[in-house]
Amino acid sequence: MTVRLAVLFGGRSGEHDVSRRSAESILAHLDPAAYQVTEVLIERDGQWRVNGDRATFAQALRAIGDQDVVFPALHGPYGEDGTVQSMLEWLGVAFVGNGVFASAAGMDKPVTKKLLAADGLRVADGVTLRPDEDLSSRDQERLGLPVFVKPARAGSSLGISKVEQWAQLPAALRLARESDAKVLVEHAVRGREIDVGVLQHPDGRVEAGPPLEIRVANAAFFDYDAKYDGGAVFHIPAQLDPGTTRLLQDRAVQAFHALGCRGLLRVDFFLPDPDADHGTGWTGDHREPVINEVNTFPGFTAASQYPQIWQRAGVSYSALLDILIQGALHRHDAASPCPSPC
């Protein structure tokens, strides 16, 4: 039976273009014999289009509600932060990926860190600044240099700066606040940057893929240009000993459960340099990986880490989409109060 599927993309965040590129890849890899696809685009100004035609909000909601399942290929605020997930829950339609709580918590970096640390996972030391707050001299001394300054609720490395001298901090705060008034100043962990993708299968089994190592040639860190303009090289699997690989995979699955995730998650780690200064506030084993960030809907472009991780694990892009869609349908059916139709 053909599944009626809406791919929802675009949005009002600074990651509008990334979302469109993710959706383009998703649409190109969906099996046309298995899915009857409706394209739902949210323009930058919040206007809606259904299969290319301008639609009112009510018309768009009706089109979405008529689907068997929705694939929200949205990144950033208004899409990845629980906003759209809440709308889809209200419509009562199955949808791919994380629910309202995990999406909202995973989008807010300081909240993510608190939840992960409460579950015993290691995170970098940092300070959250509200609007008009500055980093105190005491916190500067505690964090040390360098630090990263990040918008609390943005993705794709938008608005992030690496600060190597405190004189650079005011400009970094201004840049971050262009994306979010709430800002995170975080100790820079020296070490290898490793990503692990987590996938939940339709039967509920949660699996971590092979670790991916990011190496950036011509940038200070893995910034927006490095992510989407070919400035980084991915090594899959990362050259790690079996014990470290298992540890990273175990911690990624632990993070998935700590945040109440479903469907998918990408966990971005630092594997600390054993000879580096470990000023992260951690009192345990310094070989323990540091969770940098999580992504509750990672990029699905041709250049994105998450699809590449699963392709290396033997799961093709098309098969990955099928797993996510079937998982969403299965969870929705299991949660229904009575068989359809009631």
Side-chain angles (χ1 to χ4, degrees), residues 68-128:
D68 296 315
V69 61
V70 177
F71 202 123
L74 292 159
H75 302 296
Y78 309 109
E80 196 180 346
D81 60 355
T83 305
V84 163
Q85 289 75 15
S86 179
M87 180 190 76
L88 296 172
E89 292 278 9
W90 178 77
L91 288 172
V93 64
F95 62 93
V96 168
N98 287 286
V100 176
F101 174 79
S103 297
M107 189 74 200
D108 190 311
K109 296 177 180 65
V111 171
T112 300
K113 288 161 65 76
K114 288 178 182 178
L115 291 171
L116 296 179
D119 207 65
L121 291 159
R122 186 182 182 189
V123 298
D125 195 8
V127 175
T128 303

Side-chain angles (χ1 to χ4, degrees), residues 34 39 53 70 72 86 89 108 125 177 188 193 204 217 231 275 332:
E39 298 181 27
D53 297 327
V70 177
S86 179
E89 292 278 9
D108 190 311
D125 195 8
R177 284 175 170 144
E193 192 165 353
D275 299 322
H332 184 72

Side-chain angles (χ1 to χ4, degrees), residues 200-222:
Q200 185 176 31
H201 293 265
D203 63 3
R205 177 171 51 93
V206 177
E207 178 184 12
L212 172 153
E213 182 167 9
I214 300 168
R215 294 184 184 171
V216 181
N218 299 311
F221 62 96
F222 191 38

